Every structure is written in C-alpha cells, then in structure tokens.
Amino acid sequence: MKRLSFAAVVLFFLFANAVNLSAAARTWEIDTPHSNFYFTVDHVFSKVRGQFNNFSGEVKFDPGNLADSRFFFEIKIDSIDTNIAKRDKHLLSADFFDAGKFPVMTFESVKITNAGNNLYEVAGKFTIKGESHDLVLPLTLAGVKAHPAMEGKNVAGFNGTVTIDRLAHKVGDGKFHKMGLVGKDVEILVTLEVLSDK
C-alpha cells in the first residue's frame, strides 16, 4: 500500500510539472523593422514627431497564461530621430535626455491584466535618467496568424498609446515649457510585430 501511495505521489508531481512546462508563455522575437516607439510633443502651436531607431527587448506572451507573460524594452537614447539633426542634438543634451550620462531607457513589466476586447494593461517599471517610475502601458493585441511572407513563422501585433509628463521624469527642467515653447506632455505610440516559430 505504501509503495502504491509513493508511486501515486511521484506520478502526480511528474504530471503537474509537465502541465506547467506545457503552459509556459510563448517567447516572441521583436521584428524591429516593423516595430517602433514613436512620440509626439507640442512645439508652440505645432506637433513635433519622432522615433527611436535603436531598441531591443523580450516578449513572452500567452493570453491564457498572463502570469508567465512579460514585456521588456531597452531603447538607446542616442538613436532619437526627429528628422532635424540640430534638434536631435539638443534633445540629447543636458537640457533634455542628457544621453551622455543616461544612454538608455527601459520598461519592464511586473503584471499584465486582461482588460477585455483584446486590450492588455501592462503594468511595469519605466526607468529613465537613472530613476524608475510606475507606468501602465495599454497594449491592444491586433491579432496572431501565420506570417504571410515568412514560412514557418507566426506573427502577432500589439499597438498602444500612453501619455507621460516629461517634466515628472526629469526630461528637461521646465524652462522651455514656461516659455511656451515645448510642451510637457509626450504622447508615446508603441507598435510591435513579434515573431515566433509555429
């Protein structure tokens, strides 16, 4: 009887571990040519738009296993691109990003919540200029399907916007905002295509 009980316990744990392994969230590779982090900020009456051309990250995502899902992004500040070299140089200076001292900014999720209608609220830590801040990034799952141009690959898409106060994150000291020159609120558009083997 004892042998049967021991065998049953062993089988139970083997089965439980197998279930946990099979339920692990899928790892996706960011398709960087078809992904980006765009931003928009007011300049007097107009809106200036830009992007970051050098970034990397890790995506683990399964809508059925959000506890094991994860988003991590690292963005190189010196890859900022607003289509005006003089302006980009100013943004890299101590007046704004101070890229010489703080070359990267990162976002790492800590919890992902299904908000319904394919919307996922990704709560995490946004680190910029050496300080971490709580941030919720809302991402809408645009879809998952076999990639139409890459045999053997699945592709998934995510899109989301969030607005942050750059002054609260010390991107600038407020002098240009007080002048009525540069706005303090920055709208960020995250758009991702991610790839995984079928």
Side-chain angles (χ1 to χ4, degrees):
M1 186 68 179
K2 289 183 179 179
R3 288 181 181 177
L4 287 174
S5 297
F6 177 76
V9 170
V10 170
L11 286 172
F12 172 79
F13 279 107
L14 286 174
F15 176 77
N17 287 334
V19 169
N20 287 336
L21 288 173
S22 66
R26 178 183 291 194
T27 297
W28 300 81
E29 175 188 359
I30 298 176
D31 184 4
T32 52
H34 303 108
S35 303
N36 218 314
F37 299 86
Y38 298 99
F39 62 87
T40 303
V41 63
D42 290 340
H43 182 276
V44 190
F45 294 122
S46 69
K47 293 185 180 295
V48 172
R49 294 181 176 178
Q51 65 188 53
F52 291 91
N53 295 325
N54 191 342
F55 56 88
S56 59
E58 177 186 342
V59 175
K60 289 178 65 179
F61 183 77
D62 181 345
N65 186 1
L66 294 180
D68 192 47
S69 297
R70 176 177 184 260
F71 288 86
F72 172 77
F73 308 117
E74 180 179 279
I75 300 171
K76 298 294 181 62
I77 301 296
D78 65 4
S79 72
I80 197 167
D81 182 2
T82 66
N83 203 36
I84 301 292
K86 183 178 179 180
R87 179 166 57 208
D88 294 343
K89 184 177 180 180
H90 190 198
L91 290 170
L92 295 175
S93 74
D95 279 344
F96 292 97
F97 284 101
D98 202 0
K101 291 182 180 178
F102 307 102
V104 300
M105 57 181 168
T106 62
F107 175 79
E108 183 169 12
S109 66
V110 295
K111 183 180 180 180
I112 302 173
T113 304
N114 185 345
N117 295 320
N118 291 324
L119 175 64
Y120 295 87
E121 294 182 346
V122 184
K125 294 293 183 180
F126 175 51
T127 301
I128 185 170
K129 300 192 79 170
E131 295 185 7
S132 293
H133 309 263
D134 292 330
L135 179 68
V136 176
L137 175 62
L139 289 178
T140 298
L141 176 62
V144 182
K145 68 178 184 179
H147 199 293
M150 293 184 181
E151 187 175 352
K153 292 285 187 180
N154 282 330
V155 58
F158 296 91
N159 297 289
T161 58
V162 64
T163 299
I164 65 171
D165 179 348
R166 65 177 179 86
L167 298 181
H169 295 80
K170 298 183 179 179
V171 181
D173 60 8
K175 63 182 178 182
F176 295 112
H177 179 247
K178 290 177 182 177
M179 290 169 59
L181 194 62
V182 181
K184 67 181 182 65
D185 293 328
V186 181
E187 183 181 76
I188 299 168
L189 166 63
V190 179
T191 184
L192 303 170
E193 281 188 8
V194 294
L195 306 171
S196 181
D197 294 331
K198 286 185 178 180

